[in-house]
Amino acid sequence: NFLVLAIYMRRRIGRINGGDILTSVAKTLAASVAMSAAAYGCYYLLNQRLGANGFTIRMIEVFVPIAVAGIVFFVSAKLLKISEFEQALKTVRNKIKR
């Protein structure tokens, strides 16, 4: 679907900076892979240490990996200098300053 839309847009408006789009997708994919690995690794370690008994332990096994994954994605996106991430971060900072 994306490929068909990209071809259609290129015919209508000319160049669409495919190289920039591909670079952004690759960087986002790399950050997402790091995030997924961190979430799975964190869950695996917690499950091995705590087991899966009880509601509180299950909540820890859910929310701690989510937090770790978010932090890993944030750091990865900053290190990879993902421009869309930087733009979103700038927008959030401007909203907070108001």
Side-chain angles (χ1 to χ4, degrees):
N1 191 22
F2 172 77
L3 186 60
V4 172
L5 290 173
I7 292 168
Y8 179 73
M9 280 182 56
R10 186 170 181 170
R11 287 183 184 164
R12 302 259 310 173
I13 63 174
R15 296 199 49 95
I16 58 171
N17 298 329
D20 292 340
I21 293 171
L22 189 59
T23 299
S24 180
V25 167
K27 287 180 179 182
T28 303
L29 180 63
S32 297
V33 167
M35 177 184 71
S36 297
Y40 179 76
C42 184
Y43 169 76
Y44 182 80
L45 289 174
L46 286 172
N47 190 282
Q48 292 297 311
R49 301 268 192 249
L50 303 176
N53 300 328
F55 180 76
T56 304
I57 290 173
R58 285 184 181 251
M59 290 298 104
I60 290 169
E61 288 178 345
V62 168
F63 291 109
V64 170
I66 290 172
V68 169
I71 292 167
V72 168
F73 185 82
F74 181 87
V75 170
S76 297
K78 290 291 280 182
L79 290 174
L80 293 171
K81 298 178 181 169
I82 300 173
S83 61
E84 294 82 2
F85 182 76
E86 296 292 336
Q87 291 171 352
L89 200 56
K90 184 178 176 182
T91 301
V92 169
R93 283 185 191 136
N94 289 338
K95 292 282 185 184
I96 291 173
K97 286 181 181 179
R98 288 186 199 181

